[in-house]
Amino acid sequence: TAIAITEQPVSVSVPVGYSFTLRCRAQGRTSLQYQWFCQYQSDCRLIPGATNQDLPIIAEQTQLYTCRVNDLHRNAVFSDWVKVEVHQCVARGLPPQLWQGEPVIVLNPSEQRVEVGQPLQLQCAAMGVPAPSYQWYRNGNLLEHQKRKKLWITHTKVSDSGTYLCCASNSHGEHWTNAVDVHIGEQSQPTSLCCISPGKIALLVGNNRYQHHPNLMAPVRDVFELSHLLEHLGFQVVSLLD
């Protein structure tokens, strides 16, 4: 109760070489002293000379940081531990000094084919200052409990199939990952057309001749090319012309 942290440091996710400052503010009954610590893997150490409220950092490697605040009566409190996550890349091709901290997707999820009952893992990552928060969606619907970089479903069901994407957001804005398809079924490999499930049928209708409209230029060719594309993606295609 003698010392109260009034401003906690915040986690960041930044490109290597990026310069920023961690901040800690506190109030007490006497004058206060600050000391910053960092932890890499299991090694926690005092940072020599880091005795100010602000800690300037040039990002080199992912580490955890905390600040100890003490008064003249030997009362002491620690700030929250925060993570400085460092990515070996630049933000949108810009030099680190020109990036303002808005979310930048650095890892997109990939398409998955999983057998029923097996685990599903999708992963994404983003940079941001402060570090972005995450929210996953399936078929445009928010997944209430999927709020981490990694989406994890221990035992998948057929109903877990769909199109997934994740939103990374912070106080500067939000960015979305690519949308990816997840297929949950008894077979983990693409099936032949004779064994295809009803959910993988595409109906293409190409009308060329209209009674009250000029004829179109190339619907037959369009249907032909699109049917080949859909077949390549594992659809059974039914084409109807005129």
Side-chain angles (χ1 to χ4, degrees), residues 74-241:
R74 297 185 178 179
N75 298 306
V77 296
F78 282 84
S79 72
D80 295 340
W81 282 96
V82 294
K83 184 177 184 179
V84 173
E85 184 177 23
V86 180
H87 300 272
Q88 300 299 318
C89 61
V90 296
R92 292 179 180 164
L94 295 176
Q97 64 268 23
L98 299 182
W99 177 52
Q100 300 300 310
E102 71 277 9
V104 176
I105 302 295
V106 295
L107 176 64
N108 280 287
S110 57
E111 182 176 347
Q112 302 284 329
R113 286 184 176 271
V114 180
E115 295 183 5
V116 172
Q118 295 301 306
L120 168 66
Q121 177 178 289
L122 296 174
Q123 187 172 356
C124 71
M127 297 188 299
V129 181
S133 58
Y134 296 88
Q135 178 62 63
W136 286 89
Y137 294 79
R138 181 182 67 241
N139 298 331
N141 298 313
L142 183 147
L143 298 175
E144 185 65 32
H145 302 295
Q146 300 291 353
K147 298 179 181 292
R148 299 176 180 271
K149 288 189 290 186
K150 291 183 179 180
L151 177 146
W152 179 261
I153 299 176
T154 306
H155 301 288
T156 55
K157 308 181 295 294
V158 173
S159 60
D160 292 320
S161 296
T163 301
Y164 287 75
L165 76 168
C166 186
C167 178
S169 61
N170 67 7
S171 55
H172 294 288
E174 63 183 29
H175 274 84
W176 297 76
T177 66
N178 295 338
V180 296
D181 292 330
V182 172
H183 309 273
I184 312 295
E186 296 298 335
Q187 301 185 38
S188 59
Q189 299 297 326
T191 58
S192 64
L193 291 182
C194 64
C195 303
I196 206 137
S197 66
K200 298 285 286 186
I201 295 178
L203 173 62
L204 300 180
V205 178
N207 288 326
N208 183 51
R209 298 181 178 88
Y210 288 85
Q211 184 175 359
H212 301 291
H213 192 282
N215 291 347
L216 301 183
M217 294 297 296
V220 175
R221 185 191 65 191
D222 293 343
V223 167
F224 178 79
E225 293 180 352
L226 187 56
S227 65
H228 278 279
L229 173 62
L230 291 170
E231 287 172 355
H232 181 71
L233 295 176
F235 284 80
Q236 180 180 359
V237 178
V238 178
S239 298
L240 301 177
L241 301 175

